[in-house]
Structure formats: structure tokens, C-alpha cells
Amino acid sequence: MKRKALGAVIAQAAQAGIGLLLQILVARLLGIEEYGRFAILYGVVIVATAVVTGLVGDSLVVLERSQRSIRAGLEAMLLATSVVLAIGSFLIAWLTGFSDVWESALFALALAAFAVEEIVRRMLIAHMSFVRTAITDLSGFLVALAIILTVHFTGTLSLAAFLGGIAAGQIVATIIGWFLVPRDDRHLVGLRGADIAAVWRYGMWRGLQQVLRPSLFTVLRLLVLAGAGLTAVGLLEAARTYTSPLILVIGGLSSFLFVRFADQHKAGTAGSVREADRVVVFLVIGTLLMSVIAVVLIPWVSPLLFDVQVDPLAVIAWLAYGMSVAIVTPYGALGAVGGRQIAVFLIRLSDTILAVLAAVVMLILGAHPSTLPFALAAASMLGGVGLRWLVSSGGRPEGTAR
């Protein structure tokens, strides 16, 4: 179990590291203002991917995908959601004038490619094949990097070129990842008889929950954009990206815990609140140690990465938010696989709304954008307390995670 947990962290590190490197490339090659625009588009991609992750990815882990009707339902749901999200994102980016038609089309393609590749990743994660998951992500990144650098050295690099390179990389990663999935799980079925209802009953709540955090980040970016401009968005995003190694550790262990708790549930045993408590203590201690290191290294590392020095206050605020994530995620995973996904979602929705309201009030009162993540952290920690109470109190499951 320790080796698998380490593998989960490595897989998450690969994915987060790739995201970090892509954002560093944008900031260094296109400038901090264009990085602010990329952060908004990339944030939408993450939101859309989160929808598909919860709706399809978590469902394939918890539901019996060996049943033909369930597998067909998962395929149908993936097809429908990725197409609808891609078309909707294209229209919004183009019609609002945020991007031109070509850039919007590449943005939509990248979004759909991210969604499909994420499900292939989730299939590997369901088998706890974390090293193969990392190989999948790295292969896609190398393709994207090759395209981006080729355009940079032979032509005029633009945000559209970044989006095109990312889309191509995700497509390649999907193909490679598919062939790394164990043979007995590497097959597609026809859509006839698809049990979309079963996937929807469970996945809807997980999809809604998964979208809360990236949606919160997107709303925060838009609030800062409206109140302080693109440069402020870029600086705040740079501070968040600087602290992303902390979130990758938490995210990796969260993926591992979700699969572990789901396997225990299928085997007829319940995940332990005490086990979740131990993970929280471990994550909190690790967060504190990593936070100290991150703050000390700001003057040397941030100019190297982003060509600007990030605001230390913004870094500390994002680290506080990372601490809150460490408190929330183990209890959320335990509650979701135990059939209480609706209650988990409602608690997370409540703390997300509270975070947005707190950020709006802070901006109205004249707070600096760098302090806004403190509001997110406080609201998230309250959500963690609610989730701890939920999984401790027991209660009747909501009945679709079987």
C-alpha cells in the first residue's frame, strides 16, 4: 500500500509538473499579461475536465464497469459530455470576443482531448497503475513541448500555438495510455443498452463536486480581472502555480484513497474514519514543512520560473488554501464511496459559495488580490469540519455507489 501511495503521488506529480511547466512556458515566452489570458482559458479546461472526471471517471472506479450496460453507459456519457463541453466552450470564447475563431477552435479541441485523456488516466488509476499513468502524461507533454518549441524557433509563437500543441499532446497521450491499460479492461462495447441512468445517478454528484474547486479558481480569476486587470490575474496565478507542488502531493494521495476506499466498499468493508484521520495528520505536517521551504525559496525560485518575483503574501495565502485541501479531501473521498455523495457535494457547494462571497466582500472593502486565497482557505476548512462530521456520524447511504 505504501508503494502504491507513493506511485499515486508520482503520477500526480507528473501531471501537476506538466501543468506547471506549460504555465511557466507561457509566462516566459508570451509575457505575464498573455499568461493571465491563458490562465483563464486553461482554468476552463480544468473545469470541464473535472466535470468529466467526476461524471465518468469516478463512476468507472465505483460502479461495476465489467457489466456491459455500465460500460456502454460510461462510453455514452464520455462522448456526450466531451462534445457538449467543447462546443459550448468554443461558442463562449468566440462570441464574447475573448478569443478569435481559430484560437477558440483550438481551445475547444484541447478541452475535448483533455477530457478523453483524463478518462484513460482514470482507467489506469483504477488498476493502481500509477507509473503507467505518469508515462502517459509525460508522452503527451513531450509532443506538446516539441510543437511549441518548433513554432517558437521557426515562427511567431502565439497562444493559439500553445493550445494546438497541448491538444496534439493530449491526443497522443490518450492513444499511448489506452494501450497501457490492462488487456482485460481495454475494450469498447456498442452503445445499445447503455445504462446511462446508473452512471448519471452516481456520476452527476461527483461531477458537480469535482467542478467546484476549479470553478472557484475561475471565478476568482474573473473577479480579479474585473477589479485589477490581467496583470493582477497573472501575478496571482503565478503565486498559485508556485505552490502547486503542495497540491500535487495531496491530489495524488486523494486519488489513491478514493480507489482504496472504493475497493474496500466493493469488498463489503467500510473505509475507516481513523484511517482518514491519519492521512489528514500526515498531510497537515507535510504541508507545514513544504510551506516553510516554499516561502524561503521565493526570492530565488520565482524569478527563475516566471521572470517576476511572486508576492510572498499571495504564496502564503495559497499555502493556507493547500492546508485546507489537506483537511478536506480524505473525508470527501470516504463519504463519496460510501454512498453519501449528495451530502458531500452539498457541503462542498456550501463552502464554495461562502468562499466566493467572502472574496467579493474583501474586494469591495479594498483588499489586495494577493489576500483573496485566505478567504478560500477559511471556507474550505469549514467544509472539512462538516465532512469529518458526516463520515463520523454514519447515516443511510444514498444508494447508487454499488
Side-chain angles (χ1 to χ4, degrees):
M1 285 299 103
K2 290 181 180 179
R3 285 196 299 270
K4 290 179 179 178
L6 178 60
V9 173
I10 291 173
Q12 188 70 16
Q15 186 184 44
I18 288 167
L20 174 64
L21 289 173
L22 286 173
Q23 293 181 75
I24 291 171
L25 282 173
V26 175
R28 299 281 299 187
L29 299 180
L30 298 182
I32 197 68
E33 183 171 323
E34 200 70 348
Y35 174 56
R37 200 160 69 91
F38 174 78
I40 292 174
L41 291 175
Y42 193 64
V44 174
V45 171
I46 299 303
V47 170
T49 304
V51 172
V52 178
T53 298
L55 192 58
V56 183
D58 286 354
S59 294
L60 73 84
V61 171
V62 175
L63 303 180
E64 292 292 346
R65 65 184 180 278
S66 58
Q67 297 179 11
R68 186 191 180 283
S69 60
I70 294 294
R71 197 173 193 89
L74 292 167
E75 293 174 9
M77 192 66 74
L78 174 60
L79 177 63
T81 52
S82 58
V83 169
V84 169
L85 289 170
I87 293 175
S89 298
F90 165 77
L91 292 175
I92 292 172
W94 178 40
L95 295 178
T96 59
F98 193 81
S99 301
D100 60 30
V101 63
W102 174 239
E103 191 174 275
S104 299
L106 289 172
F107 165 53
L109 178 62
L111 185 149
F114 256 97
V116 176
E117 194 267 349
E118 176 63 18
I119 298 310
V120 173
R121 291 183 80 257
R122 295 294 288 185
M123 291 184 69
L124 290 167
I125 290 172
H127 290 278
M128 292 197 177
S129 300
F130 296 111
V131 174
R132 294 185 180 188
T133 303
I135 292 172
T136 298
D137 290 333
L138 289 172
S139 62
F141 171 69
L142 292 176
V143 171
L145 182 63
I147 293 173
I148 291 168
L149 293 181
T150 298
V151 175
H152 175 62
F153 289 115
T154 61
T156 302
L157 188 63
S158 65
L159 187 55
F162 266 92
L163 294 171
I166 290 171
Q170 292 301 108
I171 291 171
V172 170
T174 299
I175 296 171
I176 292 175
W178 176 253
F179 285 102
L180 292 177
V181 172
R183 185 180 297 273
D184 60 348
D185 206 10
R186 194 174 68 231
H187 65 277
L188 299 174
V189 299
L191 300 183
R192 181 183 300 177
D195 193 353
I196 297 177
V199 177
W200 177 257
R201 282 195 302 270
Y202 182 80
M204 175 183 66
W205 300 105
R206 290 298 295 168
L208 289 172
Q209 182 189 330
Q210 290 281 0
V211 81
L212 289 177
R213 185 179 299 159
S215 294
L216 177 60
F217 292 165
T218 300
V219 170
L220 183 66
R221 294 181 190 112
L222 294 175
L223 288 173
V224 174
L225 174 64
L230 273 173
T231 301
V233 175
L235 290 172
L236 185 62
E237 189 66 16
R240 188 194 65 81
T241 304
Y242 178 79
T243 62
S244 61
L246 170 64
I247 302 297
L248 74 85
V249 174
I250 299 170
L253 289 176
S254 177
S255 297
F256 167 74
L257 282 175
F258 188 80
V259 175
R260 178 173 169 80
F261 289 154
D263 289 344
Q264 289 174 343
H265 187 71
K266 288 178 181 179
T269 59
S272 168
V273 177
R274 183 172 297 178
E275 182 178 2
D277 287 339
R278 287 197 298 268
V279 174
V280 168
V281 171
F282 170 78
L283 289 176
V284 167
I285 293 173
T287 298
L288 288 173
L289 293 175
M290 293 181 67
S291 297
V292 172
I293 296 172
V295 172
V296 170
L297 293 179
I298 288 175
W300 297 277
V301 176
S302 68
L304 179 65
L305 295 180
F306 303 105
D307 205 24
V308 295
Q309 181 164 316
V310 298
D311 186 346
L313 181 59
V315 170
I316 294 171
W318 280 119
L319 290 170
Y321 179 75
M323 177 77 73
S324 74
V325 173
I327 295 172
V328 168
T329 49
Y331 301 126
L334 183 58
V337 301
R340 291 189 287 274
Q341 65 273 11
I342 298 176
V344 171
F345 166 73
L346 292 175
I347 291 173
R348 295 313 318 279
L349 176 63
S350 299
D351 70 57
T352 300
I353 294 173
L354 179 61
V356 172
L357 293 176
V360 170
V361 170
M362 288 177 68
L363 284 173
I364 292 174
L365 294 177
H368 194 276
S370 62
T371 63
L372 297 183
F374 283 120
L376 278 57
S380 179
M381 287 183 184
L382 289 175
V385 173
L387 289 172
R388 176 63 171 77
W389 172 84
L390 175 71
V391 297
S392 300
S393 62
R396 184 177 180 179
E398 286 136 15
T400 58
R402 60 183 183 272

